[in-house]
Structure formats: C-alpha cells, structure tokens
Amino acid sequence: MRNFISKSIALGLLLLPSHLLAAGEQGGMVIVADSRNLTGLTAWWVNIYNESHFYFALLTVVTIPLAGAILGGIADLVMSRTGIDLRSRSLREN
Amino acid sequence: MSWLYVLLPIAGVHVWWPGLVILGLCVGVIGGFFGMGGAWMVTPALNVLGLPMAFAIGTDITHMAGKSLISTMRHAKFGNVDYKLSLIMVFGTVGGLEIGARNIMWLERIGKIDLYVRCGYLVLLTAIAWLVFSDVLKRQKKDRAARAAGRTVDHLTTGIEWYKTLQQIRIPPVVNFPRAGIRCSLWLPVGVAFFTGWLAGVLGIGGGLIRMPSLIYLIGCPTHIAVGTDLFEIAVSGLYGAATYSYKGRVELWAAFIMLIGAAVGAQIGAVATKYVKGYGIRIFFGWAVIGCDISILMKIIAATRPSLKTVLDLSATILILGLVTLLSLVIVLKFVMGVREELALKRAEVMVA
C-alpha cells in the first residue's frame, strides 16, 4: 500500500506541469452557477466555482483521489470479510 | 418521490441519484474487469440522466480518476500492476494526448470534425475487435493442434504474437519489466503509449479501450497485468482530465461523488472477478464490449447522415450501450459470485480434511 501511494504521488508530481499546460485557455462561454437558494456546503462549493475556476479545479483534483482512496478502503474492508484470498491470483496465464 | 432527486448545483439540474449509483456500480464492475475507464458508456448514460453533454464528459472523466484508483488498489494487491511500465508509458501518453488534441483543433478548422472522428473511431474499434477474435481463434487452433499431437500447449501461449517481433527491436536503452515479464527497448512502450495517447486525443476518449489491447498485442503483457497497469495509467490521466475540465468549469463534482459510491463496490467486484476468469476469457468479453461500442458508433454515423432516422438511431444507440453495460456487468458479477462460492467451498473442504 505504501509502495502504491508513493508511486501515485511521484506520478502526480510528474504530471503537475502537464496539468497546468492542459488547463490552457478557458472556453469562450462563461457559466455562472445560481447560488441564491443554496446553503451550507453546497453554497460554499458553488461560490468557489463562481469565484475561481482555478481553486475549483485544485479542489476537484485533491478531493477525487481522496474520496476514491477512502471509499476504496471501505469497500476493501467489506470485501475482506467474505473470507476469500485477496492477496494472490492462482490463474497465471495469458 | 422528490427525495430520489438531487440538485446538481453547477449544471443546475435535478438528477435521479439512484441512477448515478447504479451507473457507477456497473461501470466500476466493467472498468475493474477490463482495465478501462468506460467513457464511451458513461457519457451517453449521464446525458440520458439529464446532465448537459459538456458536463457529462467532464464529470465522467473526473469520476474515472477516483474509480480507476480504487480498481488499481485492488489489482496492485494481486500483483497485476507494473508501475515501472506504467510510469514510462505516461510520458508517451501525455505527449500523444497533447498532439492529438492539437490535431483536433486543426480538424475543427477544416470542418466535419464529428464525422471524421466517428469514422476513425469506427475503423479503430473494428480493427480491435478483429484483432481480439482472430487472436482467440489462433490460440484455439494451437490448442487443437497440440491436442491432436497428444500434447498440451503452454499456459502462456498466445494466438497473435506481434509483440515478439517488436520486442526484438533492441534500440538502447533496453529495459526489464519483471512484473510483466518483458524485456524490450524503452522506446517500445513509449512509442505505443504515444500512439495510443495520440489516438485517444484525436478521438476524444480516455484511451483504455485502445491501450489495454495494445499492452497485450504490441508490448506483450499478460492479460491480467495489462488490465492492472492500464488502470493505474487511467487513474493518472483521469486526474489530468479532471483538472482540465474542472478548470473549464465543466465538472459536476456532486455527481462524480455519488457515482463513486457505486463504483467503489463495482470496482472491487470487477477487479476480484479477474481472479476467477482466464486471460483469454477476459479477452473474449472485451471483444464483445468493443463490438457493442462499434455498432453504437455506426448507428450515430448513419443518424448524422440520415436526418429522418436520427431520433430512432440515437435512441437505439443509447439503449444498446446501456443494455451492453447492464449485460456485461451482470455476467461479470455472476462470474464473481460463482468464483467466490467455489473458493469458499474449497476452503471449507480443506478445513474438513485437516
């Protein structure tokens, strides 16, 4: 697991310049989300979107792998309760 | 029944959230099993659920990053991920994607981009389907010939062996990939990644559908390693796509989160199911998925040239894709359940004997 995390971080750092490059120009059309009837977390999130797409992108890039890792960890825990061997694969063929 | 609908605040639409969970679950199963992101399945499905197309694409790519990470974590524990190969291929993929995206801008300027892209996609998918099934037939032929001679073929035998020729091209530096069991020039994976990245950039897709068979047929990865290695690359390139689309304001993160809940379960099931299916079994399933995708693209091409049939064909293409997603995930779940039952029964029998 530690190996996997360190490899992922290395790859993330490697791609950081590409991320900035890929962000490039924004499309000509500007979309503004309607936050007038929203409250709490949703309102905060929509306000970030309206104020800065850069911070919005940054938060998206941080939260998605984090959510994936947490949900994956939980699902992993549930799967390990089934009693099957989750460490090896006996089928070794092409 | 309003509680079954969730407001996606940025796109400003109300969406049936169980649909998002089910979609995440199904695509998680398929992605974890085949080692692909599944953009060709998710984007039209999100569009059907009510997301505008631009948001459907951005949200799909964003959720793909999280989902592929979950599948990679599971595949890594089975030893199915070759990190070294994946890291090297990322350079080629990113370079290819950028050039492909620039080529698309040029195609946009000369017009008819949709038709060119769809025709290119159609040709490519037909070629992949042909490749997969001719490989399966060749392998079966080898099996039959060996049986007739009273022998059994080695379990690592493959039908199409283009990779053997490509691996002979030893332009320095030559690199070892112990996990995948390959020794080849560094330029082979970089070149293949560049080519598949370029194709993905030109066609506007994630690339797993092209990279997975390329890892098998051009580089020589065993099927299971190809699945795991490809997923790691999809997780990274998915993040790259998420950054681009969210910066352009076309990501609905709430929808991506809801889909991830289903995908977390689905990705585990799909990845564990590979434990119970032989490499060639995975290739055959993959071939059928490609054929389904191929037919849906063909329908869209005909719809674009025959306006009178547009509504019927567009609807048929969507139904075909959703039907295929459901069918494939059901078959994979079935394989998973049967495999788990068999393994547990075997364990119980071992305990009884002891």
Side-chain angles (χ1 to χ4, degrees), chain B residues 29-54:
Chain B
V29 169
I30 294 172
F33 189 78
F34 291 127
M36 58 186 183
W40 57 279
M41 300 177 275
V42 182
T43 308
L46 280 177
N47 197 224
V48 167
L49 283 171
L51 253 82
M53 199 40 126

Side-chain angles (χ1 to χ4, degrees), chain B residues 81-154:
Chain B
V81 185
D82 193 316
Y83 291 109
K84 190 173 164 188
L85 179 60
S86 199
L87 277 164
I88 286 173
M89 286 184 78
V90 161
F91 285 103
T93 305
V94 171
L97 271 170
E98 284 296 336
I99 292 179
R102 277 158 210 259
N103 289 161
I104 275 289
M105 304 287 179
W106 173 74
L107 275 175
E108 236 172 21
R109 279 199 294 276
I110 62 170
K112 287 192 174 180
I113 179 173
D114 279 0
L115 191 64
Y116 285 133
V117 167
R118 281 190 178 146
C119 286
Y121 206 4
L122 187 74
V123 171
L124 181 77
L125 291 180
T126 309
I128 293 174
W130 170 82
L131 193 67
V132 171
F133 286 108
S134 59
D135 170 46
V136 171
L137 289 175
K138 274 187 183 168
R139 164 74 200 247
Q140 284 173 348
K141 203 173 159 187
K142 282 183 184 175
D143 267 341
R144 277 196 301 271
R147 267 203 303 272
R151 293 180 287 112
T152 50
V153 286
D154 181 70

Side-chain angles (χ1 to χ4, degrees), chain B residues 188-203:
Chain B
L188 175 61
V190 171
V192 168
F194 181 84
F195 177 63
T196 53
W198 174 77
L199 274 174
V202 165
L203 300 174

Side-chain angles (χ1 to χ4, degrees), chain A residues 4 11 15 18-19 22 25 45-46 49 53 56-57 64-65 68 76 83 85-89 92-94, chain B residues 9 62 69-70 74 77 80 83 87 94 155-156 222-224 236 243 246-249 253 275 283 343 347:
Chain A
F4 171 76
L11 207 50
L15 279 178
S18 334
H19 148 226
E25 297 168 41
W45 182 250
V46 169
Y49 176 86
H53 280 190
F56 177 75
I64 274 293
D76 206 33
D85 175 15
L86 292 170
R87 291 269 164 199
S88 66
R89 173 170 59 78
R92 293 273 167 202
E93 63 167 66
N94 273 326
Chain B
T62 305
L69 189 77
I70 298 167
R74 166 56 47 224
K77 285 179 185 167
N80 290 348
Y83 291 109
L87 277 164
V94 171
H155 64 284
L156 290 174
T223 313
H224 292 86
V236 177
S246 54
Y247 187 73
K248 287 169 183 149
L253 200 65
K275 190 172 131 85
R283 291 187 198 193
E343 187 179 331
K347 271 190 177 178

Side-chain angles (χ1 to χ4, degrees), chain B residues 167-225:
Chain B
Q167 283 177 9
Q168 293 304 313
I169 307 168
R170 295 284 169 96
I171 302 167
V174 175
V175 193
N176 260 327
F177 298 103
R179 178 70 73 186
I182 301 167
R183 183 175 161 78
C184 63
S185 164
L186 175 84
W187 302 107
L188 175 61
V190 171
V192 168
F194 181 84
F195 177 63
T196 53
W198 174 77
L199 274 174
V202 165
L203 300 174
I205 56 171
L209 200 65
I210 313 169
R211 211 164 35 238
M212 204 284 256
S214 302
L215 275 162
I216 294 174
Y217 297 117
L218 302 180
I219 296 180
C221 268
T223 313
H224 292 86
I225 307 275

